[in-house]
Structures are given as structure tokens and as C-alpha cells.
Amino acid sequence: ASIRVDLDDATAISDELYGLFYEDINHAADGGLYAELVQNRSFEFSPADEGSYHSLTSWTVNGEAAVADTDGLHENNVHYLAAEAGTAIVNAGYNSGMAIEAGETYDFSVWARADQNANLTARLLDADGNPVSGTATVNTGAGEWVELSTVLNASASTVNGRLAVTTDAAADLDMVSLFPQDTFLGRENGLRKDLAELIADLDPSFLRFPGGCIVNTGDFDREGRERAYNWKDTVGPVEERLTNQNFWGYNQTYGLGYYEYFQFAEDIGAQPLPVVPVGVTGCGQSAEITDAAELQTWVQDTLDLIEFANGPADSEWGSLRAAMGHPEPFGLTKIGLGNEEYKDQFYVNFPAFKEALREAHPEIEIVGNSGIDDSGAVFDRSWEFMREQQVDLVDEHYYNSPEWFFSNNTRYDGYDRMGPHVFVGEYASRSNTWWSALSEASYLTGIERNGDVVDMASYAPLLSNIDYIDWAPDMIWYDNHQAVKSASYEVQKLFSTNAGDEVLASTLEATPIASPDIQGGIGLATWNTAATYDDVKVTAADGTELFSDDFSTGADGWTVGGNAAGAWSAADGSYSQTALVEDARSTAGSADWSNYTYEVKATKTAG
Ligand code: AHR
């Protein structure tokens, strides 16, 4: 094989190509990146979040206690536990329990209210009830809600830990919380260190958050427990934040909210890329805003988000950011409007957001999206619309087979350089195998080669708790105390930590080999320049000829895979293409084919 490189033919590669797509899916936040160890700390879980949930999910009560909602801590956090004297409550956390490490310190805190002083005693236990820490006691005093905190020192390790709190007098309890002190960068209300460090190691240039489908789902009436994701519900003191139904079927506490996302992005050197809903749901849901005045409230929320991120510390929303600990702006430069949109109402609503942003914040780049599919009517309509709207970037999503990724390397070769640029906001080769990761690596070479029109790309989804899987494949897997990097993680890291500045034009001359993984067909490896094939032959390892074609009768049986740019041509008995091809006649089935190693003998005759 030989590779020819043209040193005079260089194309710049975007310097923000490799980034992250984070969605609160698979318990990515609660029970994942968010370091809170207590599940259902505010007694707000409800069957509306998930059928089997209730206000005491993850809690055991020994004694007398009931969940109440009279004069709760805050209108967004109405439920609390009214416990009688001598009652002990025990929280089991996520997975098999809390991961407690001997020698580490843990911040225990609680909001409490009592008519007369109650002593609240906290302690860490293992699953059998044996103590794994000393005790620490806080006093409620008598009167209104008060926040109390103390520290617990772990004396033994367990991955089945529990938090137990006992009260010696009647008391109302809310926001019962336990954090390891050893969070990522030691931040309060912080992130689980091992997961955050794995993410930081990817050296991402951007962080798209908080979804995905959790962005364009829910109810727009701002009441109830299934609200559309609104960033304002996720900021301010944690005890005043809503909890909400997560589209993926669990309760999301919003403890990891917009402030924390911005902070995390800054901490890992990534530019923040929030995505907001535009008054229409997708992902199989049907709510939409058709009233202009109602839509305007969501447009204003979007403008307010820019102020929260970038506004002066004395502006309305900038002052909230400052009060939360970050007087300096977060430096937001881009915002995503909608996720995988395809409904007619989207095309009606989108301009209201875009125009308001262009007028108030011409400095902010707008990321539109291309609908739910990488081909077909929705995709074409969306792209046309995004061009008309003159957005800066279009967010494309696709999840496909390894073969698709191998064969669509040329996808962006023909993309219009004059229109909006591309943000590949979600992609993954199905199955977390080495083979699928290899196909992603192969595909990324095509993205880099088009680094002048594809500005940004992010694998999806990023995180999955092994006991709460909503979607796979995922890049990083974990339980309550350990994390596993997928092969796709290694590919992302390889590319993002070795990002190039320019790609040089090159041609490869080689004998292509068939993929051993291709089932029900023979694949011809391809590259950017058209090649012409003749006399294709497939032999098994023992030399048996499985298949051959000299194309003397044209192209019958062969199909061009994927929707690659190349065109089939079988004129004069030879075969020319730039896409993967499959021969439908070679469908021996994966069971038989797996017994062989394959070689496709192709003669490159011209092209
Ligand atoms: O990444 C998982 C889901 O895939 C996202 O929520 C959605 O945008 C896409 O369909």
C-alpha cells in the first residue's frame, strides 16, 4: 500500500472539534456525576416521576414518621418528613448503597424544624447496620426551618453504605444530604471526582448540556410534576429548586443545575453550549406552544439565560450567578435552540427565539438542528429552513451500525461550505465493542478531513449508571464506586488530545479487505477518491472460493451502502464507487461467515 500526501493542499481543522454531549440520561446526574449520596433527599419523589416511586423511595423509617406538605420549606420543595421522638430514618442511596471510604470525611446536612429542641444524630452504616463512622449530632433549636450541618468521619469502607439519622424529639426534616468532601476540585454541591476526572481527561473543547430528549419534552404549563426543562428551575439555593420528572423515567433533583454545568464546563476548559426548548416537544411527546404571548415567556427565559451566563454581576440574572459564587461571566458564546425538531410548530416557533437573540445578543452563535434523521424529508426540510434562518451551526444526530460509520466516511465531502456549519451533536456506532469504536475512529478521519465545515462533534451519550440504563451504547459506565471507560472513550480521547490544525490532502493505494464483522454481505473498504474495481473475489481462510464477480454482467446484486455521496457506475463491466458496497448474493449468514477470514481481491484499474 502507498499513501501520497500533498503538503501544499491543507484544510484547516476547527479548533473546537472535539467536545462533549452530556445528557441527564441513565442517571447521569443523580446517582452519577452529582456527588450527592442520598437518594430522594427532599421527599419529593412521586409516582409521576416513575411508577414505582413514592415520597419515601430509598428511605426506611424505624419509628413513627409521615411525609407532610403543610408549610413546607419552599414552594418548589413542599414535602418533608414529620418524625416523632425516637424515630430513626435510613437512606440507601443509589445502586447497592453509598460508597463510603475509610478515612474520608463526609458533609452531612439537613433542614429541620421543631417546636422544641431536637437532637439529630447522624451516622454511617453498612448494609447490615454496622457503623462505619462515628456519630455527629446537630440541634434544631425551637422555631422555624433551619439548615444544620456537621461532618462524619468514615472508619471503615463499604460499597453498601447507609445514612442513618435519629431524632430524640418530634421534628420536621427536609433536604437530608450527604456529600463526600472529596468532590471534583473540592467544590461544594460538587461532582463525583472519578467521573469528573475521566471527563476532564478527554480535554473537551465544549460541553453541550443538559440533553437531548430531556430538553424538548415535558409540559409547558409551568405547573405540575412533568414540566418542560426550564433552566430557571435549576438555579439558586438547592433547597429552593424543583425536582421534576425526567423524560427517561426517574426523578431529577436539579441539584446539578445550570450553575453547576457552567462551572463544570469552565473547570474542564470547555465552552458551555446549553440547549433550550423552543415551545414544542419531540421524542414521541405532543405538547406545544401555539400562543404567541406564552411563547414569548420562553423566549424571555432564553434571553435571561444569556444574562445569567454573561451579564454584569449587578444585572438581575447576573446577580444570581454572582450570589451563587461566580461574579465573573461564564463566557457563553453559543446556544442551541431545540433538539431533533421535526414538528410543524417548530418551524413556527423557532424564528421568535432566533430573532430575539440576534437582536439582543448578536455576539451569540445560534445552533439550530436538522431534525430526527440523517436522511429523508425531515432532514431536508430542516436544513433548508436552517439555511433560510441563517443559523451559525446545524446540529445533526445519528446512531448507526459500525458498517454505516465505515462506509459514510465521505458524508461531509460534498457539504455546502457557504451555508451554516455542522455540529455533529450526537453520534455513536451501536454496541460498545472495539469494532464499533474502530468505526468511530474511522469516521472521525472523515470529520477531520472536513474540519472546515464540521466545526464540532460529540459522541453520545456520555454517561451511564450500570443499574439504571435507559440507553446504550454510552461512553463511560459506572456504579456507585467504580467507573469503566468504553473503547469509544479511548477513541474520543485519542482524537481530542491529539487534535490536528490542518488536514493534508492524501490518496491511498491499497488492496481493500472486507470487514470480518459484516453480516449478510461483503463490504469493500473505500476512501475519498473514486476507485474502480474488477474481479472481486472472496476466499475463506482454507482457500475455498466463496464468491467472485468479474462484473461481466453489470452491477446486479451489488448495492451502494448508506447514503454516501458516491455514485454507482458499472459501465463497461467494471465498477466504480466511493461508498461501501454490499453484495446481496453473499448472504451466507453471520454464523457461517464468522468461521472464515475474508479477503476481497480487487484490482484497481483506474480512477
Ligand atoms: O442520546 C440519547 C438520545 O438520542 C437523546 O436524548 C436524543 O437527542 C437522541 O434521540
Side-chain angles (χ1 to χ4, degrees):
S2 70
I3 300 175
R4 273 201 214 106
V5 178
D6 185 348
L7 298 177
D8 296 324
D9 188 356
T11 305
I13 301 173
S14 158
D15 59 7
E16 51 191 29
L17 189 53
Y18 297 107
L20 301 172
F21 164 56
Y22 166 93
E23 176 163 26
D24 186 357
I25 184 174
N26 308 314
H27 277 259
D30 302 303
L33 188 57
Y34 188 46
E36 172 66 84
L37 294 170
V38 174
Q39 182 172 193
N40 189 16
R41 65 185 174 189
S42 59
F43 306 99
E44 296 293 328
F45 277 31
S46 133
D49 304 321
E50 196 272 325
S52 67
Y53 279 0
H54 51 85
S55 51
L56 282 174
T57 292
S58 201
W59 289 100
T60 308
V61 174
N62 300 313
E64 272 187 59
V67 174
D69 60 5
T70 310
D71 287 335
L73 189 47
H74 189 267
E75 60 182 354
N76 288 336
N77 181 7
V78 293
H79 296 96
Y80 57 88
L81 190 73
E84 297 301 329
T87 298
I89 58 172
V90 178
N91 190 275
Y94 298 90
N95 298 97
S96 61
M98 300 169 187
I100 304 295
E101 227 180 301
E104 293 295 333
T105 45
Y106 296 83
D107 287 327
F108 164 74
S109 64
V110 60
W111 281 80
R113 174 176 63 186
D115 289 340
Q116 52 185 339
N117 180 57
N119 298 310
L120 306 178
T121 303
R123 171 182 271 190
L124 303 178
L125 308 173
D126 67 17
D128 298 324
N130 304 309
V132 293
S133 78
T135 59
T137 300
V138 290
N139 307 313
T140 63
E144 273 314 303
W145 286 106
V146 60
E147 185 179 19
L148 306 165
S149 61
T150 186
V151 168
L152 291 167
N153 297 303
S155 50
S157 297
T158 177
V159 294
N160 308 310
R162 308 283 189 260
L163 170 69
V165 182
T166 309
T167 181
D168 67 354
D172 298 333
L173 307 176
D174 205 352
M175 296 301 288
V176 186
S177 169
L178 187 76
F179 271 85
Q181 286 193 336
D182 192 21
T183 58
F184 181 59
L185 301 181
R187 296 212 177 276
E188 274 181 40
N189 194 45
L191 305 182
R192 196 174 126 175
K193 194 176 174 182
D194 60 337
L195 296 180
E197 285 179 347
L198 282 180
I199 294 170
D201 287 348
L202 289 166
D203 195 17
S205 63
F206 63 87
L207 176 70
R208 174 180 175 237
F209 64 89
C213 283
I214 74 159
V215 166
N216 62 331
T217 51
D219 206 323
F220 292 109
D221 68 4
R222 295 177 193 263
E223 300 296 335
R225 299 196 55 95
E226 298 165 27
R227 301 186 202 188
Y229 198 108
N230 188 317
W231 72 271
K232 289 179 179 172
D233 293 336
T234 77
V235 293
V238 286
E239 68 276 8
E240 295 179 8
R241 297 183 196 177
L242 270 180
T243 76
N244 197 15
Q245 184 203 52
N246 179 302
F247 170 78
W248 296 106
Y250 54 91
N251 179 284
Q252 54 192 350
T253 68
Y254 290 149
L256 175 45
Y258 257 68
Y259 177 86
E260 290 77 19
Y261 288 127
F262 278 123
Q263 183 63 71
F264 184 47
E266 183 176 273
D267 285 343
I268 60 177
Q271 57 166 307
L273 174 45
V275 185
V276 297
V278 290
V280 59
T281 56
C283 302
Q285 295 199 346
S286 56
E288 56 189 33
I289 299 175
T290 54
D291 176 73
E294 190 189 353
L295 189 68
Q296 187 52 37
T297 64
W298 288 84
V299 171
Q300 188 57 50
D301 288 341
T302 306
L303 297 176
D304 292 343
L305 174 59
I306 313 284
E307 186 174 283
F308 177 73
N310 291 352
D314 59 359
S315 61
E316 182 186 355
W317 291 101
S319 66
L320 175 59
R321 181 193 72 238
M324 292 181 74
H326 202 289
E328 296 304 318
F330 277 120
L332 179 68
T333 60
K334 294 182 178 66
I335 191 162
L337 298 180
N339 173 67
E340 296 184 353
E341 308 293 349
Y342 59 92
K343 302 243 185 88
D344 289 346
Q345 194 64 36
F346 169 71
Y347 303 102
V348 177
N349 290 357
F350 184 90
F353 289 81
K354 191 215 73 180
E355 278 154 27
L357 279 165
R358 287 285 192 237
E359 191 181 333
H361 294 287
E363 76 284 5
I364 298 289
E365 287 188 281
I366 294 177
V367 183
N369 61 85
S370 67
I372 50 170
D373 201 351
D374 63 349
S375 61
V378 170
F379 179 81
D380 292 343
R381 179 183 182 189
S382 293
W383 257 102
E384 194 184 329
F385 178 73
M386 290 300 151
R387 280 191 202 98
E388 277 165 26
Q389 291 289 308
Q390 299 185 332
V391 301
D392 299 288
L393 289 144
V394 176
D395 181 4
E396 291 192 348
H397 297 175
Y398 36 85
Y399 298 89
N400 252 311
S401 66
E403 286 69 34
W404 186 93
F405 281 92
F406 280 121
S407 63
N408 280 274
N409 187 281
T410 55
R411 178 185 177 89
Y412 294 108
D413 290 0
Y415 264 54
D416 172 18
R417 264 58 186 170
M418 305 306 286
H421 282 200
V422 178
F423 168 31
V424 188
E426 295 181 27
Y427 70 92
S429 176
R430 293 194 197 281
S431 79
N432 264 144
T433 60
W434 200 90
W435 180 240
S436 59
L438 189 67
S439 74
E440 287 152 7
S442 152
Y443 191 72
L444 285 174
T445 64
I447 286 192
E448 280 202 355
R449 195 177 58 252
N450 287 282
D452 57 332
V453 71
V454 182
D455 286 5
M456 306 158 83
S458 44
Y459 179 96
L462 176 62
L463 295 171
S464 183
N465 187 312
I466 194 79
D467 288 333
Y468 310 98
I469 302 169
D470 304 307
W471 180 287
D474 302 287
M475 210 205 295
I476 300 172
W477 294 83
Y478 52 89
D479 59 14
N480 59 353
H481 67 291
Q482 53 196 345
V484 174
K485 299 176 276 186
S486 67
S488 295
Y489 173 95
E490 300 295 358
V491 166
Q492 292 296 317
K493 191 173 169 194
L494 183 70
F495 278 78
S496 66
T497 57
N498 295 283
D501 303 321
E502 293 180 326
V503 63
L504 300 173
S506 63
T507 50
L508 168 70
E509 286 189 21
T511 302
I513 57 165
S515 139
D517 228 16
I518 287 179
Q519 297 174 2
I522 298 295
L524 281 183
T526 61
W527 43 87
N528 194 20
T529 8
T532 303
Y533 297 94
D534 201 356
D535 294 331
V536 173
K537 196 179 287 177
V538 182
T539 49
D542 64 3
T544 315
E545 187 176 304
L546 296 172
F547 171 71
S548 70
D549 196 343
D550 61 4
F551 296 102
S552 55
T553 56
D556 31 52
W558 292 84
T559 55
V560 180
N563 62 344
W568 172 268
S569 160
D572 73 7
S574 69
Y575 165 64
S576 172
Q577 50 83 45
T578 57
L580 176 139
V581 293
E582 287 188 347
D583 187 300
R585 292 165 295 181
S586 56
T587 50
S590 55
D592 292 335
W593 284 91
S594 66
N595 294 326
Y596 300 100
T597 53
Y598 314 115
E599 190 186 3
V600 174
K601 290 181 179 160
T603 315
K604 186 166 187 271
T605 55

